[in-house]
Amino acid sequence: VSAFRYDNVSLKCFSALGDSATFVKKVGEGIIVGIPSIICFAASTGLVFYIQRHRGICPRSIFLVWGITGIFFLSFIPYAIILSVLALEDRHARRIAEFFLYINVLANPIVFYLTLNSFKEFVNNKCQRFYQFWFRRINET
């Protein structure tokens, strides 16, 4: 029998700060959630005012800006809530939280397609060329 043995108890870390560590964690989470939200809201509001002042009221442009901003908040707020309420060490909760961030990435092209005619033409042109290429290949075989 060896004189040394491995014990997980010795690997546990305890904060010397005690309750103030919880406060520091909450402040950190507030910064992680608050700063991107404030920047996104301020930038989109400023962009809407700029569009209205210099280009007149263009409903598609305003829908584009607020659509992208709304999707950002719909994907970021659940992420922030899950990370704030649940423990950061919970892997399953982290995966669910990260999934919500992908909603933003997946929904942005849809908003662009619905609001920008140039993007819609680009996508339609590329899809048409793709189908022509593959249908020509299928018919040749």
Side-chain angles (χ1 to χ4, degrees):
V1 174
S2 173
F4 298 102
R5 90 184 165 102
Y6 178 77
D7 190 5
N8 280 336
V9 176
S10 63
L11 296 176
K12 290 186 180 175
C13 232
F14 296 99
S15 173
L17 299 174
D19 290 336
S20 62
T22 306
F23 173 74
V24 171
K25 180 182 174 192
K26 293 294 180 189
V27 169
E29 291 167 352
I31 290 171
I32 290 171
V33 172
I35 290 177
S37 300
I38 291 169
I39 290 172
C40 184
F41 183 75
S44 60
T45 303
L47 189 58
V48 166
F49 286 136
Y50 178 82
I51 291 170
Q52 286 179 345
R53 189 176 320 133
H54 292 287
R55 297 181 75 195
I57 296 176
C58 182
R60 283 185 166 209
S61 300
I62 293 172
F63 178 71
L64 173 68
V65 171
W66 286 115
I68 297 296
T69 304
I71 290 170
F72 170 76
F73 281 119
L74 286 176
S75 65
F76 187 72
I77 288 175
Y79 172 78
I81 290 171
I82 288 172
L83 289 185
S84 297
V85 173
L86 301 173
L88 292 174
E89 294 82 24
D90 187 3
R91 289 177 132 178
H92 185 65
R94 270 190 92 80
R95 287 183 185 159
I96 292 172
E98 290 167 356
F99 168 75
F100 280 103
L101 294 178
Y102 288 115
I103 293 172
N104 184 26
V105 174
L106 296 173
N108 282 342
I110 296 169
V111 173
F112 284 123
Y113 185 83
L114 294 173
T115 58
L116 297 175
N117 287 333
S118 59
F119 186 73
K120 185 183 288 188
E121 291 171 8
F122 171 78
V123 170
N124 289 341
N125 184 21
K126 293 298 179 186
C127 287
Q128 184 180 19
R129 292 177 78 192
F130 175 78
Y131 291 134
Q132 286 174 353
F133 174 78
W134 283 104
F135 283 131
R136 186 172 2 122
R137 303 274 269 172
I138 291 171
N139 291 335
E140 290 175 358
T141 58

